[in-house]
Amino acid sequence: MICISNGILPDLGELNDDNKPEKETAPLFSFSYDNTLEEIDGAMKSFQARYKSRRHIFSVAAYALITAAVVVAIIFNPESFFAYAALMFGLFGLAYSLTDKKRARSKTIEALKDMNPEDYRAVFYSDRIEIETIIKPKENEVHVKIDEEADDEIISPLKTTFIPGSDLLEFIENDESLLLVFNRQQIYCFPKRCLSVDQESAVRDYLTNDLSGE
């Protein structure tokens, strides 16, 4: 799972007994997967392409207009030191704005490199999607057992449940993955390499049709 900002995990509210999903319902399909850093970077690129930031667009346009205006000023007055200083400012701002998204992705990837690897399991029901996150120890991480007579610690998987039609869910696909976007802040990346042909088709159909209410 990728958090684009400090998004809040799904809050399904207070569901009464009539509205609670039937836990006994058999799943339509399920699969396990993990994410490589390259797949996460690709998922963020797809997210950024779909949801363009108004601030980013405004910043690029503003610096482009400043740069163009300064170039015109230099043509009419090529000896103006102030115009050349303004040109450098405009070009720097334009370059910084154009590379803003790449820097954000790089910062996220660098942070993920220091985190423990995670495995996931996605279970799709007719009325909900459940995703379990299992955090694994790092290869160089040593577990020290204080009490030799105590049982090994068992960490339960973290489970997140989404309700199509109730939660804000959207679907994006790129060459490597099928992406489930929650609240335009969190990305759940299902790599195609972890899916069979039938599973890939099932996930695509579910996320295309069920999320659109068809």
Side-chain angles (χ1 to χ4, degrees):
M1 183 269 288
I2 312 156
C3 292
I4 297 301
S5 64
N6 292 327
I8 301 175
L9 290 177
D11 181 9
L12 304 181
E14 295 296 331
L15 298 177
N16 56 38
D17 292 338
D18 294 334
N19 295 329
K20 285 185 179 179
E22 292 293 337
K23 295 299 183 180
E24 295 77 11
T25 303
L28 300 175
F29 54 89
S30 63
F31 55 88
S32 299
Y33 66 98
D34 58 6
N35 294 135
T36 65
L37 294 178
E38 291 76 14
E39 289 164 348
I40 293 174
D41 186 60
M44 289 190 292
K45 284 182 181 178
S46 299
F47 179 91
Q48 291 172 336
R50 170 70 68 87
Y51 307 109
K52 295 180 174 61
S53 167
R54 291 183 179 179
R55 182 185 63 83
H56 173 76
I57 296 174
F58 175 80
S59 179
V60 171
Y63 281 115
L65 288 174
I66 291 173
T67 302
V70 172
V71 169
V72 173
I74 291 176
I75 292 176
F76 285 98
N77 187 9
E79 297 181 358
S80 172
F81 172 80
F82 173 78
Y84 286 102
L87 178 62
M88 294 298 295
F89 171 78
L91 290 174
F92 176 80
L94 182 60
Y96 189 87
S97 297
L98 289 173
T99 58
D100 185 51
K101 292 182 178 180
K102 183 176 181 180
R103 288 197 311 277
R105 295 198 309 271
S106 298
K107 185 177 180 180
T108 300
I109 294 299
E110 285 300 317
L112 290 174
K113 287 180 179 179
D114 296 329
M115 295 177 62
N116 287 8
E118 297 177 344
D119 283 340
Y120 307 91
R121 178 171 176 78
V123 185
F124 287 71
Y125 297 84
S126 60
D127 58 352
R128 67 189 186 277
I129 304 170
E130 295 182 352
I131 299 178
E132 291 184 345
T133 302
I134 304 172
I135 301 176
K136 302 184 298 183
K138 294 180 180 179
E139 292 183 357
N140 60 348
E141 194 171 73
V142 179
H143 176 69
V144 178
K145 193 172 181 179
I146 299 176
D147 186 353
E148 293 296 334
E149 297 182 357
D151 294 333
D152 290 333
E153 182 180 6
I154 299 176
I155 301 177
S156 300
L158 304 175
K159 181 183 292 186
T160 304
T161 302
F162 300 107
I163 308 296
S166 176
D167 296 318
L168 178 56
L169 302 172
E170 297 172 86
F171 170 57
I172 305 175
E173 180 175 0
N174 59 26
D175 292 339
E176 299 86 17
S177 307
L178 304 174
L179 310 175
L180 174 64
V181 180
F182 167 69
N183 206 28
R184 298 189 177 181
Q185 292 180 328
Q186 297 176 351
I187 309 172
Y188 291 83
C189 176
F190 307 136
K192 295 179 180 178
R193 63 177 173 81
C194 296
L195 304 172
S196 66
V197 175
D198 290 341
Q199 286 175 330
E200 181 180 333
S201 298
V203 174
R204 183 184 295 107
D205 291 344
Y206 187 103
L207 297 181
T208 301
N209 299 327
D210 287 44
L211 298 190
S212 63
E214 297 180 7

